[in-house]
Amino acid sequence: EPMDSAGCRNVLQLPDDVWLGILGYLQILDIVRCESSCTMLRDVIVYYGVYKGMLDRICKRKRINNYMLMPDTVRRLKTDLAISAYYKRRLYQYTYKAFPRQRAEDEYIQTYKVGRKKQELDRLVVKGMKKFSIIGV
């Protein structure tokens, strides 16, 4: 067993099943932080499908069908990293669904679009989209 200068084992040398046990006690945001902290932890999280497992456990505990499963036809075309990212996103959206998502359109503009003001607001929106668009000039 490789040891450091003080004669201690490196925590990253723990077996995968120990890491999976540790990850099983964490919340989703903590797992995301672990995943971004080092490649070894990311590999464990991706390879063992930690996010999908969390989603499956939540559905099983609530006795509901996991409607967020990725279809086999789609899964075969994806990398393990892409599959993990899909389940991470779905788990996050399911876990934090109480927080409203940002709307794509500005509610103020939609509410007060009438007559000449509508034309002026539409023109400003188009101008703003061109200004901040990657391809618009």
Side-chain angles (χ1 to χ4, degrees):
E1 300 279 328
M3 304 226 182
D4 66 10
S5 60
C8 299
R9 290 183 66 186
N10 184 337
V11 71
L12 295 177
Q13 295 171 338
L14 292 171
D16 290 354
D17 59 332
V18 173
W19 275 112
L20 291 172
I22 293 168
L23 293 169
Y25 285 100
L26 301 179
Q27 299 294 318
I28 181 174
L29 292 178
D30 297 324
I31 294 175
V32 170
R33 289 180 189 112
C34 287
E35 182 182 13
S36 63
S37 69
C38 77
T39 55
M40 191 282 301
L41 288 175
R42 185 192 69 219
D43 291 345
V44 168
I45 290 167
V46 168
Y47 181 78
Y48 292 103
V50 170
Y51 296 116
K52 181 184 181 301
M54 287 180 75
L55 198 55
D56 289 341
R57 280 192 302 280
I58 289 170
C59 291
K60 186 176 181 180
R61 187 177 64 238
K62 292 185 174 190
R63 299 176 191 245
I64 59 174
N65 186 20
N66 187 352
Y67 62 92
M68 296 173 268
L69 287 176
M70 182 182 284
D72 288 337
T73 53
V74 175
R75 196 184 74 235
R76 280 189 235 118
L77 303 173
K78 303 276 184 189
T79 64
D80 287 344
L81 195 58
I83 294 168
S84 180
Y86 169 82
Y87 283 112
K88 175 173 35 175
R89 186 173 46 258
R90 298 300 294 209
L91 179 63
Y92 183 86
Q93 289 170 348
Y94 181 78
T95 306
Y96 297 103
K97 64 185 170 196
F99 299 107
R101 295 185 194 143
Q102 289 182 342
R103 294 188 182 264
E105 301 228 353
D106 188 344
E107 287 182 32
Y108 175 83
I109 291 174
Q110 294 306 317
T111 304
Y112 294 100
K113 272 187 171 181
V114 288
R116 231 172 59 189
K117 205 60 158 168
K118 176 184 180 330
Q119 293 169 351
E120 183 182 332
L121 288 171
D122 285 340
R123 194 173 63 252
L124 287 172
V125 168
V126 169
K127 184 178 179 182
M129 287 173 30
K130 285 183 180 177
K131 184 176 182 181
F132 295 108
S133 172
I134 294 172
I135 57 173
V137 182

